[in-house]
Structures are given as C-alpha cells and as structure tokens.
C-alpha cells in the first residue's frame, strides 16, 4: 500500500510499504478514506520531536472497517468510523479514570510515570514516534487500529468524511482547552494561534458560552479565516501590542481565559534562537509567557500546544502572584467524542469550513510543504488515499 513515511527531519515521502495485518484479537484493519496533517506532525518533520526509525505518519484519520479481530463485537466489516488519536486499552487505571492519554498498556517500551524528554512518556499515539509507541499512523491506504473495542466510533451516514474527520483530534483538542477553563458564560477568551487547533478552540469557546473570542496570530490570512468561519475579533502581534490590546478590551484586567494553541515552535527571531541554544531549550515559550501576561488575575491558561524540554526563566512569580490556573496535555478525546459527534451530527457546529486543501495521499509531500511553510494560504490539508 501507499503511505506517507517519515525518513529523517525534513524528509517525508509517499512510499510503498507492506499492508498492515491483524496482530491481536482486539485489532481492526481500517481502509482509510480521509486523513489530515496536524501541527503536531510538523514537530516531527522539523526534528524537534525526535524520531530515528522510519515511521508511517498520521494520527487524524477515518475510514471503513476492512477486517476485524476475533474479539471485536462492536464493529463489523463495512462500518465507517473515526478513530481518536490516543491509543488506549480501556482497562487500565488511567483508562478507567477518564485519563486515556495516560494509558498504562498501549506504550510498551516507553511508558512511565516520569514524563522524561527521551524515555518515560504517556500512552501511545498513532504515527507519533517510537517514544509514543511506534505505531504506524493513518496517512496510508490502510491502518491497524489496536484496542478497537474501545476507541473507534461509527459515524452517521449523513455526515461526509470532511464533516467528521476532525473528531479524531483537533475538535476534541480545542474542546478540551475550553472545557478545562470551565466557562460559566460571558467570558472573554483569548486564543493564541489561529491554526487548526486555535480555530477549533474558537468554535468550542462560542459553544460553551464565551462572550467574546479573540484570535491572535502573526499571519493575516489565518486571522481572516478565523473571522470568516468563527466571527471572532483578531489581533496580529506584528501590528499591535497584544497584551495591551487585550487589557484595553477588558477594562484593564486581561482575558478570563487564555489558550496556547501554538506550542514550542512559534514564529521566532534570531534572539529567540540564540536564547534557546544557550539554555539548551527546544524552541521557545514566548507564546506561553504572553498567555500568562494576557490572562486576568485568577484566570485560566489552557496549554494545547506541545512543549518539549525544560525551560529557564519560567515566570512562576507571575503565575503565583496572579493566581493563574494552568491545565495542559494531550486531549482526552474519549471523554468528549460521543457528545461532539452529536454536536456535529445535529449541525450545531461545522468543522470542515477550515479545510483549504483536499489532495490525494500521493501528494502528501506537497501537503506537508504548504502546511509547514504556510504557503498558498494553507490552513488544513486533508489527504484522500
Ligand atoms: N494537546 C493536544 O492534544 C494537541 C492536539 C493537536 C495539536 N496539538 C498542538 O497544538 C499546536 C497547534 O497545532 P496546529 O495544528 O493548529 O498547528 P499550526 O502550526 O498550523 O498552528 C500554529 C499557529 O500559531 C501561529 N503562531 C506562531 N507564532 C505565534 C505567536 N507568537 N503568537 C500567536 N500565534 C503564533 C502560527 O502562525 C500558526 O497559525 C501544535 O503545537 C500541536 O502540536 C496538541
Ligand atoms: Zn493532531
Ligand atoms: Zn489503558
């Protein structure tokens, strides 16, 4: 079959690889019908999230059940499903405590309580490095889905692939960031980063009763997209002092909630890069620092963007003085997916309006290029095997 394969930083190509096979009675094999490239994939492409071996990429995918393992009773050949990106056994301590991204069983080699940079990680993810389980991903014609009695969800027939695909990751991720902030209604939510995750957080903010949603991004075309699909206010850090602007919009207090939907590889200048080298840091926490400044006292910061190393000069003084609540991590997709499928199915939210490019899987290399380099006004690439 054909699949998008990571070879080394900067090198992902579509190759012929062996078809997957059932390895465990709880597996299914899926014929992938749609899959997307995520901002998280770009951290592997850049080499910032390390991967030595070749790996089939992709953790946002859906498809049709092709073959089921002998213990699978909830699915049959021909079912059309979306698959949450964290791989969860459904039976361990964490899986039974609404914490499936911390599954103790799915990441055989690298699971541990420590959260190290190079060893002990949480549960496994599809197509997301050996440290996260080494599972082949879904940017492929077929994919093996382990523990298929737990995660995959059958999608109503009236939804197209494009309408349903983002239930695998970015919509539950955006939703988590807002759910963690526990809105009561009327809050001002400032969302840093208006890529796919930021756009989904904007949708989730409105659905959860926000009074005002502000999108922050240095790319005007992404802010234009945010305005067009989510009717948010926008701020470009190249044009305004974002912290001052947010304070002015909130009677000097700051936003009730700030979301970091950027992570450790934001737009960086030479000084940022020098600082990272001197401090042995990966990327930069500059967006996170802006969240701590822009949020009001006693407010909440949700961190959905990925961070990959310790960071010096972390502003603990400000976090303590302002009494900020911080929540972060891999999105617990399984906690939300059934509710979110209903929202999409009942047309209470539209997800596919962020797609800018739908191209054949065979053109994945091009898809990675325009998404990574922000060319051709690219916001979200869907690949069709
Ligand atoms: N926690 C999770 O479960 C989870 C799930 C999916 C993705 N992620 C992470 O979320 C992050 C965003 O993913 P994405 O797919 O939207 O990626 P993306 O790269 O398309 O979007 C990031 C956006 O941030 C903007 N940006 C760069 N510098 C900025 C700055 N200084 N201020 C404001 N915005 C800035 C970029 O212009 C871009 O639009 C990534 O780190 C990704 O790994 C986490
Ligand atoms: Zn993702
Ligand atoms: Zn588990």
């Amino acid at each position: 079959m054909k699949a998008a394969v990571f070879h080394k930083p900067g090198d992902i190509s579509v190759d012929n690889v062996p078809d997957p096979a059932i390895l465990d009675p709880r597996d299914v094999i899926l014929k992938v019908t749609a899959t997307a490239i995520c901002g998280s994939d770009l951290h592997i492409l850049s080499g910032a999230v390390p991967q030595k071996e070749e790996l089939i990429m992709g953790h946002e995918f859906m498809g049709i059940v092709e073959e089921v393992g002998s213990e699978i009773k909830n699915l049959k050949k021909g079912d059309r499903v979306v698959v949450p990106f964290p791989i969860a056994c459904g039976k361990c301590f964490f899986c039974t405590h609404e914490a499936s991204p911390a599954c103790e069983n799915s990441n055989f080699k690298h699971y541990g309580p420590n959260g190290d940079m190079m060893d002990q990680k949480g549960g496994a993810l599809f197509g997301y490095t050996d440290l996260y389980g080494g599972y082949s991903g879904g940017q492929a014609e077929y994919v093996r889905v382990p523990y298929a009695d737990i995660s995959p969800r059958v999608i109503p027939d009236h939804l197209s692939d494009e309408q349903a695909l983002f239930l695998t990751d970015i919509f539950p991720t955006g939703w988590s960031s807002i759910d963690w902030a526990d809105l009561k209604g009327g809050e001002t939510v400032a969302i840093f980063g208006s890529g796919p995750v930021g756009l989904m957080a904007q949708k989730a903010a409105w659905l959860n009763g926000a009074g005002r949603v502000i999108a922050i991004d240095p790319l005007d075309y992404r802010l234009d997209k945010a305005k067009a699909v989510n009717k948010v206010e926008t701020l470009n850090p190249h044009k305004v002092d974002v912290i001052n602007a947010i304070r002015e919009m909130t009677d000097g207090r700051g936003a009730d909630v700030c979301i970091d939907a950027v992570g450790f590889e934001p737009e960086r200048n030479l000084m940022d890069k020098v600082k990272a080298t001197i401090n042995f840091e990966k990327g930069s926490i500059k967006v996170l620092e802006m969240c701590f400044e822009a949020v009001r006292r006693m407010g909440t910061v949700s961190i959905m963007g990925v961070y990959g190393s310790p960071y010096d000069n972390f502003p603990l003084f400000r976090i303590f003085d302002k009494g900020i609540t911080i929540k972060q991590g891999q999105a617990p997709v399984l906690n939300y997916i059934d509710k979110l499928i209903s929202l999409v199915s009942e047309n209470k939210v539209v997800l596919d309006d962020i797609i800018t490019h739908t191209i054949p899987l065979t053109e994945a290399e091009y898809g990675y290029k325009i998404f990574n380099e922000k060319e051709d006004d690219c916001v979200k690439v869907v690949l069709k095997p």
Side-chain angles (χ1 to χ4, degrees):
M1 68 166 183
K2 291 208 174 339
V5 180
F6 170 88
H7 301 279
K8 61 178 192 302
D11 181 2
I12 291 173
S13 61
V14 177
D15 300 348
N16 285 315
V17 298
D19 286 359
I22 299 266
L23 301 179
D24 182 276
R26 294 172 70 192
D27 289 352
V28 304
I29 302 297
L30 215 62
K31 182 176 173 23
V32 178
T33 56
T35 173
I37 304 175
C38 180
S40 300
D41 296 331
L42 301 183
H43 304 314
I44 301 178
L45 181 68
S46 75
V49 168
Q51 172 64 10
K52 288 215 173 69
E53 308 295 319
E54 296 199 331
L55 177 78
I56 299 177
M57 299 288 295
H59 56 272
E60 299 182 10
F61 59 87
M62 61 180 296
I64 294 171
V65 175
E66 177 80 9
E67 196 183 341
V68 298
S70 57
E71 285 180 21
I72 295 296
K73 308 282 178 249
N74 56 317
L75 297 172
K76 58 183 187 317
K77 187 175 159 97
D79 282 346
R80 189 163 154 264
V81 298
V82 292
V83 182
F85 75 91
I87 302 177
C89 79
K91 297 181 177 171
C92 71
F93 172 86
F94 290 105
C95 283
T96 54
H97 287 77
E98 298 191 335
S100 51
C103 175
E104 292 173 289
N105 291 325
S106 59
N107 189 357
F108 300 108
K109 283 198 197 140
H110 290 286
Y111 187 81
N114 224 14
D116 287 345
M117 270 170 74
M118 296 307 296
D119 186 21
Q120 294 190 19
K121 296 292 185 190
L125 312 173
F126 285 99
Y128 213 77
T129 75
D130 291 344
L131 286 172
Y132 284 101
Y135 289 84
S136 295
Q139 287 167 9
E141 289 179 285
Y142 295 91
V143 61
R144 178 174 83 93
V145 178
Y147 312 115
D149 49 336
I150 300 300
S151 289
R153 292 293 188 276
V154 175
I155 289 299
D157 288 340
H158 69 273
L159 293 179
S160 68
D161 281 6
E162 286 75 7
Q163 285 173 303
L165 179 60
F166 304 142
L167 289 157
T168 59
D169 176 353
I170 54 174
F171 186 41
T173 297
W175 187 274
S176 303
S177 70
I178 300 297
D179 186 58
W180 290 344
D182 195 18
L183 304 194
K184 306 289 181 231
E187 286 87 348
T188 296
V189 181
I191 299 171
F192 288 75
S194 203
V197 170
L199 287 163
M200 292 292 150
Q202 294 161 21
K203 291 176 192 291
W206 287 133
L207 286 162
N208 282 278
R212 225 169 155 176
V213 182
I214 305 165
I216 300 104
D217 201 293
L219 297 173
D220 276 332
Y221 83 87
R222 292 203 165 189
L223 294 177
D224 290 344
K225 187 73 169 172
K227 267 189 276 197
V229 301
N230 293 335
K231 297 189 172 53
V232 295
E233 297 168 80
T234 59
L235 297 171
N236 183 330
H238 289 172
K239 297 180 181 167
V240 294
D241 180 323
V242 169
I243 308 300
N244 281 343
I246 290 174
R247 288 181 185 160
E248 275 168 22
M249 293 160 99
T250 53
D251 296 330
R253 286 192 300 273
D256 300 296
V257 177
C258 285
I259 311 288
D260 177 346
V262 182
F264 74 127
E265 296 192 275
E267 198 189 52
R268 274 156 291 159
N269 57 29
L270 186 62
M271 276 309 292
D272 296 325
K273 289 179 182 163
V274 170
K275 178 174 170 288
T277 309
I278 292 169
N279 291 348
F280 296 105
E281 293 169 353
K282 285 194 177 191
S284 165
I285 58 167
K286 65 195 276 187
V287 170
L288 193 50
E289 288 173 328
M290 287 175 85
C291 289
F292 296 139
E293 286 189 66
V295 76
R296 69 159 165 79
R297 292 185 175 279
M298 313 301 279
T300 299
V301 173
S302 289
I303 310 171
M304 299 323 287
V306 167
Y307 284 90
S309 75
Y311 296 91
D312 282 353
N313 291 318
F314 185 75
L316 192 53
F317 64 99
R318 177 169 292 124
I319 296 164
F320 182 85
D321 186 66
K322 290 176 77 166
I324 298 167
T325 300
I326 307 173
K327 292 272 275 184
Q328 63 179 318
Q330 308 284 2
V333 178
L334 276 176
N335 297 358
Y336 305 119
I337 189 150
D338 296 316
K339 178 188 170 83
L340 301 188
I341 290 172
S342 300
L343 288 178
V344 175
S345 177
E346 292 160 16
N347 210 20
K348 297 204 168 108
V349 62
V350 172
L351 307 182
D352 55 332
D353 55 5
I354 73 158
I355 299 171
T356 50
H357 294 78
T358 303
I359 56 177
L361 171 69
T362 48
E363 291 172 23
E365 209 174 322
Y366 170 73
Y368 269 96
K369 180 177 186 300
I370 57 171
F371 183 52
N372 186 39
E373 293 168 20
K374 277 76 178 169
E375 288 173 0
D376 197 26
D377 287 356
C378 180
V379 174
K380 189 72 175 176
V381 180
V382 173
L383 305 169
K384 302 286 271 187

